[in-house]
Amino acid sequence: MNILIAPDSFKGTLTAKEVCEIVAQAFAGHNTQAFPLADGGEGMVAAWHAACGGELCTATVSGPFGQAVQAHYLLMADGTAVLELASCAGLELARPHGLNPELASTSGLGELLLHARDRGAKRVILGLGGSATNDGGSGMAHALGWRFIDSRGESFCPTGGTLRNIARIIPPAQPFCLPMLAACDVQNPLHGKQGAAYVYAPQKGADEAMVRRLDDGLRHLASILLGAEIPGSGAAGGTGFGVLAFLGGKLKPGIDLLLDSSNFSQQLAQADLVITGEGRMDAQTLHGKAPFGVLKRAQAAGVPCVAICGQLHDDTALLAAGFAAIYPCVTQDKTLHELQLSCRANLRRAAHTLQIDWRTK
């Protein structure tokens, strides 16, 4: 049996590559092909490198609070640069300093874009997942030459907490003109109850009062620039909006970008079974997440697709969508620390159960 193993990472515990390796061990004796995935968050550069090749590049840029960080990106042979926002403005970089989306900035992303352009990039694919920010991409824009002027006529670099101080915005004399596609797996608008601040800022350290202030700031930014209502503009603290408004870029589901740009279709054509998954699966998986992207391709090819996941919350919609079966690694709520200690053993056990079930089919 030919088995294509194509999961996303199990966030906080296992990389997509590690998931592939553990699942493949359970199917020893079969022909397995690993295809680690990422739909826009951490691990996107690694997934694209594994699937498409290219040169890994490193740049020293500003982290979410201005500290110097080493950020990596991929430069492919055709001039495409693949970047992760998380590599320079991510939650894990911010956490040691204390999460605070009013102070965090996407400036490092702008610096990383300039580094890629100077290395010869001709176009950009940007992963928006995992950000610690809520600045609407204004820090990125500032690093690319946009000027933000306050009521006193002074120029400043906005953060989530100072967006309301913007009186006017002046575009750069020489715009950053590389075509950009941003990998986006959410549909949230920039502001409002379903926007960046209300939905995602609490995960980044914001209390209720801060959420309201952050949303006010994004509303103010939207009053100056267009694009706030476009689905996905609320991604990554509004960086989706920044891609649209400051760079003229486009938003697209990240999993489709990767699968369209790689040899996934050729590998799928040889498969008798596809195994996908992610750390947590629920109805949200059906809204642009990597496993759903894989499922749709498998269905079109007539190949059964099963999922293996860290935790499963109601499989009704998932099974109705077409997953042949779903195998959770744990069935009780556990802390992240507990999951980190047991994740490999839990995944081996779930993969072994999956192997026994499909051996008898």
Side-chain angles (χ1 to χ4, degrees), residues 110-129:
E111 297 166 12
L112 195 61
L113 287 167
L114 292 173
H115 192 278
R117 186 187 66 182
D118 292 345
R119 283 293 303 270
K122 304 301 181 185
R123 64 195 63 82
V124 175
I125 294 175
L126 169 65
L128 292 179

Side-chain angles (χ1 to χ4, degrees), residues 35 37 47-48 51-52 256-266:
F35 201 102
L37 298 175
W48 277 76
C52 305
D256 290 336
L257 285 171
L258 176 56
L259 298 183
D260 287 343
S261 301
S262 64
N263 67 343
F264 183 82
S265 294
Q266 293 91 321

Side-chain angles (χ1 to χ4, degrees), residues 54-59 71 73-77 79-81 83 111-123 176 178:
E55 178 188 0
L56 289 174
C57 305
T58 303
Y73 65 92
L74 177 66
L75 187 58
M76 295 164 58
T80 300
L83 285 68
E111 297 166 12
L112 195 61
L113 287 167
L114 292 173
H115 192 278
R117 186 187 66 182
D118 292 345
R119 283 293 303 270
K122 304 301 181 185
R123 64 195 63 82
F176 183 84
L178 299 188

Side-chain angles (χ1 to χ4, degrees), residues 289-312:
K289 300 290 187 179
F292 187 53
V294 171
L295 172 66
K296 290 189 296 182
R297 306 285 173 123
Q299 288 175 318
V303 181
C305 181
V306 300
I308 193 165
C309 59
Q311 294 179 306
L312 175 63

Side-chain angles (χ1 to χ4, degrees), residues 61-63 88-89 105-112 135 138-140 142-143 157-158:
V61 299
S62 300
C88 51
S105 172
T106 55
S107 293
L109 176 57
E111 297 166 12
L112 195 61
D135 69 355
S138 58
M140 169 194 71
H142 184 267
C157 179

